[in-house]
Amino acid sequence: MSVSLKIAVRFLKSSRGQTILIVLGIAIGISVQIFIGSLIQGLQKSLVETTIGNASQITVVSKADDKLFTDADRVMQAIRQTESRITALSPVLDQAGLATNGDETGSVLLRGLDFAAAEQIYALADRIVQGRLPSAVDEAIIGKGLQAEWGVAIGDALDVTVAGGKRLTYTICGVFDLQVQSLNTSWFLTTLASAQEQLDQAGRVTSIEMQVDSGDVFLADTIAADLQALPELKDLAVTNWKAQNEQLLSGLNGQSISSIMIQVFVVVSVVLAIASVLAISVMQKSRQIGILKAMGIKSRQASLVFLYQGLILGVLGGLAGVVLGLGLAYSFTVFARNPDGTPVIALLIDPAFFFLSFLIAVTASSLASLIPARKSARLDPIEVIRNG
Amino acid sequence: MANAIELSGINKIYGTAIQTQVLFDIDLAFEEQSFNSIIGQSGSGKSTLMNIMGTLDRPTSGTVMIGGIQTSNMTKNDLAVVRNETIGFIFQFHYLLPEFTALENVLMPYLIKHNKPTAEVRERADELMELVGRSKVKNNKATEMSGGQQQRPALARALIMTPRIILADAPPGNLDSDTTEIIYDILRQVNGQFKTTFIIITHDRKIAEKADRIVEIRDGRISLDVTRPMI
Amino acid sequence: MNAEITDYTAFRAALEAMDKPRCVQLARQLLEANAHDIVGLYTKILAPVLNSMTDSESGHPAAIWREHVRSGIVRTVIECCYPFVLAERAARQTTADKGKVVIVSPTDEFHELGARMGSDFFTLQGYEAIYVGANTPKAELLQGLALEKPAYVVINAVNFYNLFKIKKIVAEIKERLPGQRILASGNAFYHDPELFRQIGALAVIRTPDDIRQLEEEHA
Ligand SMILES: Nc1ncnc2c1ncn2[C@@H]1O[C@H](COP(=O)(O)OP(=O)(O)O)[C@@H](O)[C@H]1O
Ligand SMILES: [Mg+2]
């Protein structure tokens, strides 16, 4: 152990009250920073999840006027081979139509899905609230909204008139709840094979929907751009959720920035507190530093005494801050609950973020000790020796 | 014999706007292994002179040689090394570091140089505490000792590096005469045993008259510089 | 065997034994037999014997005690020599008309044997020697000098620490009594031929020859 470290430890120990107070100050600052960070991250994550968790994140569409294309299998093959970050790949044949139930009429989106592939995107198996998924050519499921509006029961038949005047009849075999009102009132889902047959579009689709790894959600735009470059997709267009949700994104962005600002200010105030306490400590210890310098301690060693103090305070305060932050997050999820028992806000407990906060505490308090360290290095022993 | 410390043409002026000259053209050399005292009225410039000799303060003009080496062009770090290795200080106002025990204080100059104490130097520190008669309180914190009680561990600390020179700025009359005499005897013993050069500022006649040489400073000048007569 | 050495040895033996009657007796015998004059007795026997003993005994637990006892004996010896001093001066046909000489040691100077011997040298040289004694305060000295107006004042120091005090006394005498001639004496001065000048004295006096030389220079 270097003499500077020894002296630093002894200085901290000798003014125990002051040391505990700074550690506590750092701990509180860091725990607040951790709490705010976790809160905002959790909030954003759940927001993004509800927005795009059960939606297509990257979509391949046709550029043609009829919005159809044929070689979906070849395209999907190419995508699968080049892009490993894609987790779901589902071909869809969409057709707008007008559904009628007796006197009532409503516009719907008739969607032919490959339910096995679409499951990874929409998790429909879990979202069927009545009945089952369609399998026969004339079976379809509708959303909870439409069902409630029209009072449709399982087994009822509905007509859908599509462009060109063709009228199709479906038996409703299930009701889904996608938890998005507009989808629950407009989607009219049938199998891809059924749609292709009924609409006379054998082998054709209107889009290929995709999801990416949850960690790469925000890279959807670059992945989409990569896909667009594939030769198999040169006549097709690739869109992604980010391009379609600019407002949400800028909202999230603003939230992130303000969260970071808050965190930065918390850390800055911690740094200022440490710096001022250490600066006072240099004054308090100037006698000792003077004596040590007279005994031959070098300026570098003298400044290390205060850098070490900052480092030690940072490590202790950072650890205490992480523990306190975890406690705060835990009690928040335990005590702040909805009537149904779910947490009001799902905090994101991210070990990497906690470790980062710890590093910030250590770095910040080390930085804060730079000024006192410089003072200590510059202290002229004669000032102390002369004046007693 | 060679000189342990050699001052030539030392002037010291304090202040820039209002200048006070405290030392005037001091030429002074102390032989190695000699035992010297500096006397003079309070405010005459003794401490200033001693701080310049100990490289803690720089003269306004003039040169300081320690062990035959010029110090004027040395960096702060070089001077720190010189102080650590060749000079032991006993300060007028400051004794021990309050955060450390007496023994840790004694070891401090060694730690400054080597970081870790060896078994030998621990033993030596114990011996020095024995020598100054303070073995019993070696594990006491400095805050548990009075100023007077701190003086002897401070002496042990000054000796731990076996410095060639000991500079002592004794506080004016806060020791009883018995203690003074004991300290003096220890200093003399060290002087004989380790050939350490002693330069002691003192207000105590008993210490001063037992030195080999007494230098009197008056108004920043050497007013009288006498050596002990051989009988 | 050399007579001087025999006398020295005999006196040393008596003093070593702290035999006061024998010491006094030996000194008187030497003077009566004209084996030594006063100066010879003082400088060849008393002073060297005393110094040699102080030297050889340093470190002895009772060294200071014994030194003090012996100094007391030698003081008695010197006192007993005073009639011989006067007799010797009469024989030299010198009269006491050269003026007064005040001989003092400053405060805290307790060694006075040298000053006692010195005052006898001045007596022999024809001065009226006024021996004031050891540990004389500065104020008393200044008063005394103003009263006596001596030709010389001799300030004596053995302990070299007293040189600092003497320097101040000399400065004050010069200020208060301009023209007063000031001399220095004592062991504190002899090892450094420049010291007397530094404290402001006119000369340093160690032997009767020094007094004679002084007279020549300041005739
Ligand atoms: N930093 C300073 N600025 C101005 N004058 C000073 C300073 N330090 C000391 N002095 C003056 O220098 C003189 C000598 O001081 P010092 O060396 O401490 O004397 P001593 O040790 O003999 O008592 C004093 O008159 C003191 O007031
Ligand atoms: Mg001083």
Side-chain angles (χ1 to χ4, degrees):
Chain A
M1 187 149 79
S2 85
V3 71
S4 305
L5 181 55
K6 242 175 236 175
I7 297 168
V9 169
R10 199 54 74 83
F11 277 4
L12 289 176
K13 275 190 184 168
S14 74
S15 37
R16 190 163 300 145
Q18 193 171 303
T19 304
I20 291 173
L21 224 59
I22 314 187
V23 168
L24 217 65
I26 299 172
I28 290 172
I30 291 301
S31 66
V32 166
Q33 185 254 331
I34 283 178
F35 180 70
I36 290 174
S38 299
L39 190 72
I40 298 297
Q41 284 179 48
L43 217 59
Q44 296 201 344
K45 193 167 180 235
S46 68
L47 203 62
V48 168
E49 226 144 64
T50 46
T51 312
I52 57 161
N54 294 110
S56 175
Q57 293 161 355
I58 298 174
T59 311
V60 177
V61 295
S62 167
K63 284 184 198 164
D65 287 342
D66 62 0
K67 300 204 163 70
L68 294 165
F69 60 100
T70 47
D71 42 4
D73 286 337
R74 203 171 55 89
V75 171
M76 293 199 292
Q77 185 76 16
I79 291 173
R80 240 181 237 114
Q81 273 170 5
T82 52
E83 188 52 77
S84 62
R85 287 174 287 183
I86 304 291
T87 55
L89 207 52
S90 162
V92 183
L93 177 63
D94 284 336
Q95 176 73 62
L98 218 53
T100 45
N101 177 31
D103 324 333
E104 292 173 293
T105 313
S107 65
V108 294
L109 181 65
L110 178 66
R111 308 201 80 199
L113 297 181
D114 172 349
F115 280 98
E119 180 63 28
Q120 282 157 293
I121 298 177
Y122 300 108
L124 282 163
D126 290 341
R127 289 162 183 238
I128 294 289
V129 291
Q130 276 177 52
R132 55 167 176 81
L133 289 177
S135 51
V137 168
D138 62 348
E139 283 179 339
I141 54 177
I142 55 168
K144 180 169 110 166
L146 194 62
Q147 185 242 356
E149 210 173 297
W150 287 351
V152 179
I154 301 288
D156 289 359
L158 286 184
D159 286 343
V160 177
T161 310
V162 296
K166 188 164 187 185
R167 195 182 180 97
L168 308 171
T169 303
Y170 285 97
T171 308
I172 302 305
C173 66
V175 177
F176 63 82
D177 176 10
L178 284 173
Q179 285 168 349
V180 180
Q181 179 66 17
S182 62
L183 304 188
N184 283 349
T185 52
S186 66
W187 279 16
F188 196 101
L189 305 180
T190 174
T191 64
L192 177 61
S194 155
Q196 284 174 338
E197 189 187 322
Q198 301 251 38
L199 296 169
D200 300 320
Q201 301 290 2
R204 298 209 172 98
V205 299
T206 50
S207 61
I208 299 170
E209 299 185 337
M210 287 173 251
Q211 280 207 338
V212 296
D213 261 339
S214 61
D216 298 321
V217 167
F218 286 92
L219 297 177
D221 49 349
T222 58
I223 296 173
D226 288 351
L227 295 181
Q228 184 71 78
L230 291 174
E232 288 84 354
L233 277 80
K234 82 170 179 303
D235 296 328
L236 302 172
V238 184
T239 66
N240 69 87
W241 74 272
K242 288 176 83 175
Q244 292 153 350
N245 290 281
E246 265 168 27
Q247 240 170 342
L248 171 70
L249 278 175
S250 76
L252 290 182
N253 215 4
Q255 204 178 34
S256 293
I257 287 172
S258 55
S259 155
I260 286 171
M261 290 285 277
I262 293 170
Q263 295 182 43
V264 164
F265 278 117
V266 168
V267 170
V268 164
S269 63
V270 167
V271 169
L272 288 180
I274 304 168
S276 66
V277 175
L278 283 179
I280 292 167
S281 157
V282 176
M283 311 263 269
Q284 286 172 336
K285 304 291 185 196
S286 61
R287 221 177 86 104
Q288 285 85 328
I289 298 293
I291 296 172
L292 285 165
K293 284 200 169 178
M295 290 196 295
I297 207 168
K298 293 177 183 165
S299 300
R300 195 182 54 82
Q301 290 173 297
S303 61
L304 273 179
V305 168
F306 287 87
L307 286 179
Y308 279 132
Q309 286 190 66
L311 197 68
I312 292 168
L313 290 172
V315 168
L316 292 180
L319 284 177
V322 167
V323 170
L324 211 62
L326 270 174
L328 215 58
Y330 175 77
S331 49
F332 191 80
T333 47
V334 167
F335 297 115
R337 282 181 180 274
N338 292 318
D340 66 355
T342 54
V344 173
I345 291 158
L347 291 168
L348 185 78
I349 308 292
D350 179 3
F353 177 65
F354 277 52
F355 185 66
L356 183 72
S357 297
F358 172 74
L359 281 188
I360 287 174
V362 174
T363 318
S365 50
S366 301
L367 284 179
S369 64
L370 276 178
I371 297 167
R374 232 166 86 97
K375 260 194 186 154
S376 163
R378 287 188 168 182
L379 187 137
D380 192 345
I382 189 64
E383 300 301 331
V384 176
I385 300 302
R386 191 189 287 142
N387 301 320
Chain B
M1 200 168 288
N3 287 326
I5 293 189
E6 200 171 325
L7 305 178
S8 34
I10 298 292
N11 285 285
K12 180 69 183 180
I13 300 170
Y14 281 122
T16 42
I18 306 159
Q19 298 198 332
T20 333
Q21 184 152 6
V22 174
L23 295 176
F24 298 83
D25 292 317
I26 302 260
D27 293 318
L28 190 58
F30 294 101
E31 271 186 13
E32 293 213 346
Q33 305 181 22
S34 62
F35 197 102
N36 313 279
S37 60
I38 295 180
I39 62 171
Q41 283 180 347
S42 173
S44 55
K46 304 181 296 295
S47 296
T48 304
L49 183 66
M50 175 141 299
N51 292 334
I52 288 173
M53 286 197 282
T55 75
L56 289 169
D57 206 353
R58 296 228 189 228
T60 308
S61 66
T63 57
V64 180
M65 307 245 280
I66 308 274
I69 299 165
Q70 256 279 23
T71 60
S72 7
N73 298 324
M74 286 191 182
T75 64
K76 271 199 203 175
N77 270 353
D78 293 342
L79 292 176
V81 172
V82 166
R83 288 199 296 271
N84 183 250
E85 291 174 359
T86 57
I87 304 174
F89 288 98
I90 300 169
F91 299 114
Q92 182 170 2
F93 302 109
H94 308 284
Y95 307 113
L96 304 181
L97 298 172
E99 292 84 1
F100 293 85
T101 66
L103 194 65
E104 288 168 335
N105 264 282
V106 172
L107 284 167
M108 193 54 74
Y110 185 89
L111 295 184
I112 287 173
K113 188 175 177 198
H114 302 285
N115 284 318
K116 260 196 178 67
T118 58
E120 283 88 354
V121 76
R122 279 181 190 284
E123 202 169 303
R124 185 172 151 68
D126 277 332
E127 283 167 13
L128 286 171
M129 284 302 275
E130 192 92 37
L131 176 72
V132 300
R134 282 288 176 272
S135 312
K136 281 207 189 100
V137 297
K138 67 182 178 190
N139 291 321
N140 286 16
K141 278 266 169 70
T143 41
E144 294 157 11
M145 301 179 194
S146 72
Q149 285 175 320
Q150 291 187 25
Q151 256 206 344
R152 294 208 230 169
L155 171 59
R157 182 178 67 190
L159 292 170
I160 191 75
M161 301 294 279
T162 352
R164 290 235 297 274
I165 304 158
I166 295 258
L167 299 178
D169 198 345
N174 77 353
L175 293 180
D176 56 273
S177 57
D178 279 356
T179 313
T180 307
E181 208 128 347
I182 292 167
I183 295 234
Y184 168 77
D185 287 341
I186 297 167
L187 296 181
R188 261 302 188 190
Q189 197 182 330
V190 170
N191 171 242
Q193 201 175 331
F194 302 112
K195 309 290 174 215
T196 316
T197 308
F198 277 82
I199 302 168
I200 303 173
I201 293 180
T202 182
H203 296 262
D204 195 303
R205 176 189 172 120
K206 275 193 177 140
I207 295 241
E209 71 184 14
K210 281 174 184 161
D212 299 324
R213 178 177 169 195
I214 308 173
V215 178
E216 184 185 45
I217 308 292
R218 190 174 181 151
D219 299 333
R221 293 185 169 86
I222 295 171
S223 68
L224 196 55
D225 178 352
V226 296
T227 48
R228 166 185 293 286
M230 311 294 161
I231 306 171
Chain C
M1 197 192 279
N2 189 322
E4 245 170 48
I5 293 178
T6 333
D7 299 339
Y8 174 90
T9 325
F11 190 83
R12 192 178 197 283
L15 192 61
E16 185 138 45
M18 292 187 273
D19 184 344
K20 190 169 177 176
R22 175 97 185 108
C23 285
V24 173
Q25 187 195 11
L26 269 174
R28 291 184 67 107
Q29 274 174 10
L30 289 173
L31 292 172
E32 275 163 4
N34 273 328
H36 290 278
D37 59 5
I38 289 289
V39 175
L41 178 71
Y42 287 0
T43 59
K44 303 233 167 61
I45 296 179
L46 296 191
V49 165
L50 206 54
N51 286 341
S52 74
M53 235 167 268
T54 323
D55 250 8
S56 67
E57 285 215 337
S58 68
H60 190 284
I64 293 180
W65 168 265
R66 289 153 73 124
E67 190 198 325
H68 283 195
V69 174
R70 288 185 180 122
S71 301
I73 294 172
V74 173
R75 187 181 307 122
T76 306
V77 171
I78 294 170
E79 302 283 9
C80 292
C81 290
Y82 192 61
F84 294 91
V85 173
L86 294 180
E88 204 173 307
R89 184 170 73 178
R92 285 190 196 175
Q93 291 171 330
T94 335
T95 44
D97 56 5
K98 290 184 183 166
K100 293 174 181 172
V101 174
V102 168
I103 298 129
V104 290
S105 299
T107 39
D108 296 320
E109 180 58 72
F110 296 98
H111 299 84
E112 58 171 348
L113 294 180
R116 291 298 298 267
M117 295 182 202
S119 72
D120 285 349
F121 295 163
F122 276 99
T123 307
L124 285 172
Q125 282 306 118
Y127 293 89
E128 183 188 337
I130 303 171
Y131 178 74
V132 187
N135 198 15
T136 303
K138 184 172 67 183
E140 273 63 42
L141 174 61
L142 285 165
Q143 265 177 6
L145 292 182
L147 202 68
E148 302 284 359
K149 298 186 173 57
Y152 297 103
V153 55
V154 185
I155 306 178
N156 177 66
V158 173
N159 182 336
F160 78 139
Y161 186 80
N162 288 327
L163 293 171
F164 298 95
K165 195 176 303 165
I166 291 175
K167 186 172 181 185
K168 291 186 186 88
I169 295 173
V170 169
E172 201 160 333
I173 294 175
K174 283 182 170 174
E175 191 195 319
R176 300 267 289 271
L177 304 165
Q180 176 65 60
R181 290 173 171 178
I182 304 162
L183 304 176
S185 77
N187 268 332
F189 288 100
Y190 301 149
H191 68 293
D192 180 348
E194 284 305 306
L195 258 184
F196 75 89
R197 246 189 280 280
Q198 287 177 29
I199 63 120
L202 196 59
V204 65
I205 303 300
R206 189 174 193 177
T207 61
D209 285 343
D210 294 331
I211 303 174
R212 280 191 286 275
Q213 195 182 336
L214 186 74
E215 285 168 351
E216 280 164 25
E217 279 170 20
H218 296 272

